[in-house]
Amino acid sequence: NWRDIDMRFLLKILFAPILAVLAVVTWFFVFVVSLSSGILCIPAAILGFFGLFIIFVDSVSYGAGLLVIAFLISPYGLPMLATWLLAKLHVLRYMLRDWIYG
């Protein structure tokens, strides 16, 4: 049917800029997350060692707090959560692309 073809073409034209912006934003966030996890691994290691030192020398609660903070800024903490969210954004972008350009 010619109406279906015209509607599909109109959807492709309307969603092309949205998909392009979504791709650029997604790759920008991938860059930011990888850069931040690379940079934050050094302070996480320092805080982890300092937290262990504080546990053995001074106070268990302060040391445990430092270890929690070190875990959160390590590549396995908040950057891993951001990576998971970015993976979901990639899936959304590809699902939208497959639905429109199918």
Side-chain angles (χ1 to χ4, degrees), residues 6-17:
D6 288 342
M7 185 61 84
R8 177 98 43 205
F9 182 71
L10 183 62
L11 279 174
K12 287 179 183 180
I13 290 175
L14 288 175
F15 278 96

Side-chain angles (χ1 to χ4, degrees), residues 33-84:
V33 167
S34 63
L35 185 69
S36 68
S37 68
I39 290 173
L40 287 177
C41 69
I42 295 171
I46 293 170
L47 280 175
F49 289 132
F50 193 60
L52 286 175
F53 179 74
I54 294 294
I55 282 176
F56 290 120
V57 173
D58 188 28
S59 171
V60 173
S61 63
Y62 290 140
L66 283 175
L67 287 175
V68 167
I69 292 171
F71 173 75
L72 285 177
I73 66 171
S74 75
Y76 296 107
L78 294 176
M80 187 65 75
L81 176 65
T83 303
W84 181 78

Side-chain angles (χ1 to χ4, degrees), residues 8 12 94-102:
R8 177 98 43 205
K12 287 179 183 180
Y94 285 119
M95 281 177 38
L96 188 62
R97 187 190 71 183
D98 288 343
W99 179 67
I100 292 172
Y101 294 107

